[in-house]
Amino acid sequence: MGQTMTKEENNQKELVKEFLGGENEEETVERLMSFNTLMMRYRSAIREVTTKLQVLDDELSLYGDRNPIESIQSRIKKPVSIAEKLGRMGLPVTVEAIEKNLNDVAGIRVICPFIDDIYKVANMLTCQDDITVVAVKDYIKNPKPNGYRSYHMIVEIPVFFSDCKKPMRVEVQIRTVAMDFWASLEHQIKYKKNVPEHDTLIQELKECAETIAATDEKMQNLRRRIE
Ligand code: GTP
Ligand code: MG
């Protein structure tokens, strides 16, 4: 009781109001329901894809003696981020626009021990006949200028509901423990743009990414020699 809302919570409330506010109460309720339905569908898609990844990990750890997946995280994009992204794209904030234009409402991050595990997991997932690959961005073979490395895919999976089957899109990011370490820290640092040595920091972050990539390669070679 009596708790004050944080700035973010306030922003979120405003955006949701703007987003879901209809001409009248009935319309608002209707929009809220269709938004909640869509988010439920994205959550279900995350479950489907996560289960597939867990099954693969389970099977491979039984026949090999190690797990190709270290951990799996997932998230649903927050309403405030959904509204912001649609705004940036010059699109109206509606349920239809979300479904049609956003590929990253449902997001899964798979952390693998070694670089070759990334490609193994990606291949085994996309070989399955109910998965359609919509797009791939290989930031491992082609790192971003800032040094970011990760394997990104947008996949589509049919999800069965009580009265319909819906193809749902999920963003899957696959990276090594080391790439994840760099991305997490870079994410925390990059928004602080008003520091004096900004350019030097960017350069040093990039150097860190390269050191990490070299270590990833070395660890993979070590493992291959031992196996
Ligand atoms: P978004 O509008 O951010 O979704 O980017 P995009 O549609 O161009 O897709 P892209 O595949 O490039 O990036 C999607 C996601 O990857 C981001 O939301 C981040 O989670 C992650 N990502 C991409 N680039 C970087 C980066 O430079 N640093 C970090 N830390 N994460 C990144
Ligand atoms: Mg995104």
Side-chain angles (χ1 to χ4, degrees), residues 85 88 104 109 137 139 144 146 148 152 171 173 175 182-183 186-187 190:
K85 191 161 186 176
R88 251 187 287 134
D104 65 345
R109 187 170 291 155
K137 286 187 201 162
Y139 294 126
K144 284 200 165 181
N146 64 357
Y148 177 78
H152 292 190
E171 181 184 83
Q173 301 180 350
R175 49 170 80 147
W182 184 91
E186 188 262 357
H187 185 73
K190 83 168 159 197

Side-chain angles (χ1 to χ4, degrees), residues 70 111-115 118 147-150 175-186 208-217 219:
E70 183 89 14
I111 315 293
C112 299
F114 298 97
I115 305 167
I118 295 173
Y148 177 78
R149 284 167 174 79
S150 224
R175 49 170 80 147
T176 61
V177 181
M179 292 170 192
D180 189 52
F181 156 72
W182 184 91
S184 305
L185 303 196
E186 188 262 357
C208 286
E210 270 143 31
T211 308
I212 283 167
T215 308
D216 254 344
E217 289 282 346
M219 293 297 273

Side-chain angles (χ1 to χ4, degrees), residues 2-202:
Q3 272 181 342
T4 49
M5 266 198 280
T6 64
K7 200 170 152 215
E8 199 199 345
E9 279 168 344
N10 237 326
N11 278 345
Q12 194 149 336
K13 205 174 148 212
E14 280 309 305
L15 274 162
V16 173
K17 202 161 81 187
E18 182 189 324
F19 169 29
L20 295 165
E23 293 288 301
N24 49 53
E25 199 175 323
E26 200 179 327
E27 201 181 310
T28 304
V29 170
E30 209 170 286
R31 286 190 193 177
L32 183 60
M33 292 205 15
S34 59
F35 178 76
N36 286 343
T37 303
L38 185 63
M39 293 304 122
M40 177 276 293
R41 287 180 177 157
Y42 281 119
R43 281 198 304 275
S44 308
I46 284 182
R47 284 210 203 119
E48 298 274 358
V49 177
T50 301
T51 300
K52 283 177 177 293
L53 292 162
Q54 286 166 338
V55 168
L56 291 171
D57 187 51
D58 208 355
E59 187 198 349
L60 290 169
S61 61
L62 184 65
Y63 298 116
D65 48 9
R66 59 176 201 89
N67 292 54
I69 295 176
E70 183 89 14
S71 64
I72 303 171
Q73 303 158 7
S74 61
R75 66 102 181 89
I76 291 283
K77 205 177 185 74
K78 284 193 219 138
V80 66
S81 309
I82 291 177
E84 266 166 19
K85 191 161 186 176
L86 286 171
R88 251 187 287 134
M89 295 166 91
L91 294 165
V93 187
T94 62
V95 165
E96 293 73 29
I98 297 173
E99 229 181 333
K100 201 163 156 230
N101 303 287
L102 300 191
N103 290 332
D104 65 345
V105 176
I108 298 181
R109 187 170 291 155
V110 187
I111 315 293
C112 299
F114 298 97
I115 305 167
D116 55 3
D117 293 324
I118 295 173
Y119 293 99
K120 209 192 287 173
V121 170
N123 271 329
M124 288 183 306
L125 181 69
T126 54
C127 274
Q128 303 189 4
D129 63 12
D130 53 350
I131 292 261
T132 308
V133 182
V134 176
V136 174
K137 286 187 201 162
D138 188 344
Y139 294 126
I140 299 170
K141 295 217 163 76
N142 305 297
K144 284 200 165 181
N146 64 357
Y148 177 78
R149 284 167 174 79
S150 224
Y151 189 86
H152 292 190
M153 294 190 294
I154 305 296
V155 298
E156 203 169 74
I157 183 165
V159 186
F160 293 80
F161 299 100
S162 60
D163 59 351
C164 61
K165 173 172 111 176
K166 287 271 172 195
M168 302 300 300
R169 289 184 173 192
V170 180
E171 181 184 83
V172 184
Q173 301 180 350
I174 318 179
R175 49 170 80 147
T176 61
V177 181
M179 292 170 192
D180 189 52
F181 156 72
W182 184 91
S184 305
L185 303 196
E186 188 262 357
H187 185 73
Q188 291 181 32
I189 297 171
K190 83 168 159 197
Y191 297 107
K192 301 192 170 75
K193 292 217 167 109
N194 298 323
V195 286
E197 343 155 66
H198 187 249
D199 292 351
T200 325
L201 290 176
I202 301 275

